[in-house]
Amino acid sequence: MLLHIPQIFSAAELAEIRQALNQAHWIDGKTTAGHLSIQLKSNLQLAEGDPLARSISEVMLQRLWKTPQFMSAALPNKVYPPMFNCYTEGGTFGFHVDNAVRDIPKSIERVRTDLSATLFFSDPNEYEGGELIIQDTYGVQPVKLPAGSLVLYPSTSVHQVTPVTKGARFASFFWIQSLIREDAQRTLLYELDLSIQALTQELPGNPALVQLSSTYHNLLRRWVEV
């Protein structure tokens, strides 16, 4: 399942964040690349633990945890601390698959990467190229969202960022360990939850809602991993 969640930040908040990112200290993105991806990766990143990254991440995760669409689709258990990157002057990241497990820096915690997320801080008209290309069961999906919008997709997907030929592409990216490991099961639960919400609006008090809600929670109970 590939999902677009819009407007995590307001226009005023985005302007403030962009000003801070423009003035931030960026390092070579290869410092966090794996053995294979280091040859495919050409971008800039904020250092892990950077105070600016922490402050933006804190607000971002608080917002997402209060976004019903995100919570329903991701069913998050653990989150790898969000990271921030900048693609400019030909910056790119060739086709790759994210590591299955990520060690959280300065922690004994590990995160199984069930879902990958990218939140855009640049509008599409601010840069040329820089599309996030995701290969999924429905084919190749190009993603280039408005600033403040997030894309959520399975970490099993092969994906790339095409070269930025003009301007700068700022974004945050992170990984989620879901309560539900399998994407097909998460998708079924998400679609069922959407149906329950729609029927609750259209037919409040309908007895069928009790059975549908029971089915949802019994499937969740059957598949959940904690």
Side-chain angles (χ1 to χ4, degrees):
M1 177 172 58
L2 189 155
L3 190 65
H4 166 210
I5 303 176
Q7 298 178 329
I8 305 302
F9 290 102
S10 69
E13 290 170 328
L14 287 169
E16 184 177 348
I17 291 171
R18 276 298 302 278
Q19 183 178 11
L21 292 176
N22 285 332
Q23 299 172 353
H25 176 65
W26 296 90
I27 63 173
D28 191 337
K30 293 182 186 295
T31 58
T32 58
H35 176 69
L36 295 177
S37 62
I38 194 170
Q39 301 178 38
L40 306 171
K41 188 177 185 181
S42 176
N43 67 2
L44 301 172
Q45 288 182 189
L46 293 184
E48 293 185 288
D50 183 286
L52 176 60
R54 288 201 305 267
S55 64
I56 300 174
S57 297
E58 183 177 348
V59 177
M60 184 169 66
L61 293 179
Q62 287 175 353
R63 295 283 173 82
L64 289 172
W65 254 242
K66 294 179 181 178
T67 302
Q69 187 182 17
F70 174 83
M71 296 300 290
S72 178
L75 293 170
N77 184 10
K78 298 179 184 178
V79 174
Y80 188 90
M83 301 171 68
F84 294 78
N85 58 23
C86 174
Y87 290 84
T88 188
E89 299 179 354
T92 185
F93 199 161
F95 276 116
H96 64 284
V97 174
D98 293 330
N99 291 347
V101 178
R102 306 281 304 199
D103 294 321
I104 296 179
K106 300 180 181 179
S107 170
I108 61 171
E109 287 288 329
R110 289 180 168 179
V111 172
R112 186 185 67 236
T113 58
D114 298 322
L115 290 159
S116 299
T118 296
L119 195 151
F120 292 81
F121 289 112
S122 299
D123 276 317
N125 61 4
E126 294 183 75
Y127 59 99
E128 294 180 2
E131 290 87 0
L132 173 61
I133 307 295
I134 302 170
Q135 295 182 354
D136 66 11
T137 54
Y138 298 101
V140 176
Q141 309 291 328
V143 180
K144 194 172 183 178
L145 299 181
S149 297
L150 177 138
V151 62
L152 185 70
Y153 60 97
S155 298
T156 52
S157 305
V158 176
H159 59 284
Q160 71 162 336
V161 176
T162 63
V164 171
T165 57
K166 184 179 180 180
R169 175 194 187 272
F170 293 94
S172 174
F173 61 101
F174 59 98
W175 298 276
I176 301 150
Q177 179 173 322
S178 177
L179 292 167
I180 305 298
R181 182 193 297 256
E182 297 296 330
D183 180 59
Q185 294 173 343
R186 284 195 308 273
T187 301
L188 285 173
L189 288 169
Y190 176 65
E191 292 174 348
L192 180 56
D193 191 26
L194 290 184
S195 297
I196 292 170
Q197 292 178 44
L199 288 172
T200 300
Q201 293 294 321
E202 296 174 13
L203 301 169
N206 190 303
L209 285 168
V210 176
Q211 184 58 52
L212 285 173
S213 180
S214 174
T215 299
Y216 174 87
H217 285 285
N218 284 332
L219 286 173
L220 184 62
R221 186 177 292 111
R222 183 181 184 87
W223 292 335
V224 74
E225 298 180 28
V226 293

